[in-house]
Amino acid sequence: MRFDLDAVYLEEEMRETPLARRVIAALAPGVPVYRVPDGRSAARADREAADPFAAGKRRMVIMRRRSRFLMGCPAASNEFACCGYLVMELASNCPMDCGYCFLQEFVADNPGFQIYANYADAFAELDRVQAGAGRPLRIGTGELADSLAFDSLTGMSRDFVRYFAGRDDLTLELKTKTDEIENLLEIDSRGRTLVSWTLSPERVFRSSEHRTAPPAARIAAARRVLEAGYRVGFHLDPIIAYEGADRDYAALLDRLFDSIPAARIEFFSLGGLRMTPGLRAAARRRFPRDPMLLGEEVLAPDGRYRAFAPLRMALYAAINGRIAKEKSKTRVYLCMENAGMHRRALGEAPPTPAVLGARLAGGN
Amino acid sequence: MSASSGEEAIRAWAAARRLPEPYLARWLALGPDDRTALLAAVEGLRMRAGQLIAALDLLEEISVREAQPVAAILARIEVRRILNGAGSRPGRASALLAALRAIRFPRLARATERIAREIAALGLPRGIRITPPRELASDEVRVELIAHGGEELNELLGALARHARALARIADLAAGVGWNGDEI
């Protein structure tokens, strides 16, 4: 992926780390590197910029992570039927720029593109979590940043795939909208790494998913990692309920199944577009001409704007129906929806987060 | 109307009704035909500043959704019928906003209308009120009984029981079950 970086800020304490050396060696010529005592100040929003969030994406900060790397999924809630996902924060923000991205609100105050050079500390946390879990765990790195978008610079994925290859009770999920898989192809994951792609119809990609790989390139990349021994999954999330979306999602799935048989796909997660009022305002301010941000969303009881309930339900059911036609055992679950929606749309009650989490992690 | 006189007229309207500056700026940022068409509508219906703001929001969003200029939206038959129709101006101003909202949220408007029709068709006694979720934002249907005395309550409960199947269908519709493929 091509990076348009204005500058790199390197925290003094991290300057001799392998990651810092790798990133600086891989930078395009002419990108200035500034040493700073504390990367957090460099990550803060530049309020003078016309678009502080976009400016943050062009300012890479190589720094130490001061809090834990592992945490529960920030989207988890008792309101929803959840998937027991754990997230590992290796970076914050992303060089891509999707119109609907929740980071526009979530990291609005600290939009600098942070990469944590002490990421090897995460291995000790993983060891501890594994020892106390008592069930298989699925741990993803794609929550506050795309898992692979910066991998050509950092090469982090190699270290993590190797670590997880030796852990039978842990599954690493690398979630991406890129086709940056070259580092993965060099390593035997022993099936312990699952690479997942967020997939959207061409219309959403063109309208909203700026600087991402086209859907066809994502599917082709998925096919390649599958052949290299990785497991694959797909997130149809956010599902945007524009007129004709049902046909477009069916066509997208046709295209996917032409390339990858459903039986080889671990899961589909489905999630309708949801936006807090703050995110909606930020997204519309940044992308006022994007019709995907102007759907038939209404304020739902959870305080987020969502497509009105029957419309969401109809789309979930249609997509699930198309997947079911393949007669595979691929798991389908909803993200950030309640148990009632799950039951009506998918025809069954959702498993508990622990059960679903273990199934998604265990691959059986 | 020339572009400059149109702008002056808009500024005068905004000043008279204390329209906040950001909305005035958005109005003036529309194309000349669009802002003039909107001025004609708000003057014709004697709209208040709040109604102008609501109309501007809806028109801008419809314009992006449908890739159509504001003037073309205001020239649609269902909108023109309101702008040029009979009836009180406040009534037509409300009708205009409702029509724009139906254009902005077409499937929601159809779904809401269908559920309202189904409820009306039940012909329930006055003491029973069925309230679908606001804007169909959730799956929660509220059923209220308003009775004065035990006899009346028994009558209402009986009516509810007689309509149980139809009411369940309405609750299903609100929850997204039972729609035909092309309805939403």
Side-chain angles (χ1 to χ4, degrees), chain B residues 43-64:
Chain B
E43 282 186 328
L45 301 184
R46 290 197 193 138
M47 288 168 81
R48 300 187 307 270
Q51 291 173 315
L52 175 275
I53 288 169
L56 183 59
D57 281 344
L58 289 165
L59 286 164
E60 283 181 337
E61 291 179 10
I62 295 165
S63 176
V64 173

Side-chain angles (χ1 to χ4, degrees), chain A residues 241 284 294-296 309 344, chain B residues 61 65 104 107-108 136 139:
Chain A
R284 288 183 176 189
L294 294 169
E296 296 188 56
R344 289 191 297 274
Chain B
E61 291 179 10
R65 276 171 60 84
R104 167 65 182 83
R107 290 169 294 178
L108 176 59
L136 303 182
D139 54 5

Side-chain angles (χ1 to χ4, degrees), chain A residues 86-119:
Chain A
L86 287 179
V87 298
M88 182 162 55
E89 304 302 358
L90 304 178
S92 175
N93 214 336
C94 168
M96 297 175 282
D97 201 5
C98 297
Y100 50 70
C101 180
F102 83 109
L103 295 177
Q104 293 172 101
E105 182 187 34
F106 201 77
V107 301
D109 293 331
N110 299 285
F113 179 21
Q114 302 165 53
I115 297 180
Y116 305 122
N118 60 329
Y119 68 89

Side-chain angles (χ1 to χ4, degrees), chain A residues 58-223:
Chain A
R58 296 192 302 275
R59 197 169 65 245
M60 179 182 280
V61 186
I62 302 171
M63 60 188 283
R64 181 167 68 84
R65 183 166 175 87
R66 288 155 171 86
S67 51
R68 289 169 53 113
F69 282 89
L70 282 172
M71 61 178 85
C73 172
S77 157
N78 290 339
E79 287 176 86
F80 305 134
C82 288
C83 67
Y85 192 46
L86 287 179
V87 298
M88 182 162 55
E89 304 302 358
L90 304 178
S92 175
N93 214 336
C94 168
M96 297 175 282
D97 201 5
C98 297
Y100 50 70
C101 180
F102 83 109
L103 295 177
Q104 293 172 101
E105 182 187 34
F106 201 77
V107 301
D109 293 331
N110 299 285
F113 179 21
Q114 302 165 53
I115 297 180
Y116 305 122
N118 60 329
Y119 68 89
D121 294 349
F123 296 129
E125 283 185 38
L126 287 164
D127 289 341
R128 282 197 299 276
V129 166
Q130 183 188 22
R135 65 175 172 91
L137 295 174
R138 167 171 151 257
I139 296 164
T141 66
E143 200 64 26
L144 297 191
D146 184 283
S147 296
L148 297 176
F150 49 91
D151 207 48
S152 60
L153 285 181
T154 67
M156 275 188 202
S157 70
R158 286 190 292 250
D159 292 344
F160 282 96
V161 172
R162 284 196 190 101
Y163 172 89
F164 279 79
R167 305 290 187 286
D168 286 342
D169 271 357
L170 297 182
T171 289
L172 171 65
E173 179 175 343
L174 299 172
K175 193 187 322 185
T176 188
K177 284 182 190 148
T178 75
D179 54 0
E180 302 258 327
I181 54 168
E182 300 308 322
N183 284 338
L184 303 181
L185 301 179
E186 298 167 5
I187 307 163
D188 178 8
S189 70
R190 291 190 57 246
R192 302 315 309 166
T193 295
L194 188 156
V195 192
S196 64
W197 273 266
T198 300
L199 271 188
S200 302
E202 196 72 23
R203 207 164 143 190
V204 175
F205 160 69
R206 288 188 189 287
S207 185
S208 305
E209 297 182 346
H210 312 287
R211 309 192 69 207
T212 65
R218 296 181 215 176
I219 293 171
R223 168 106 203 166

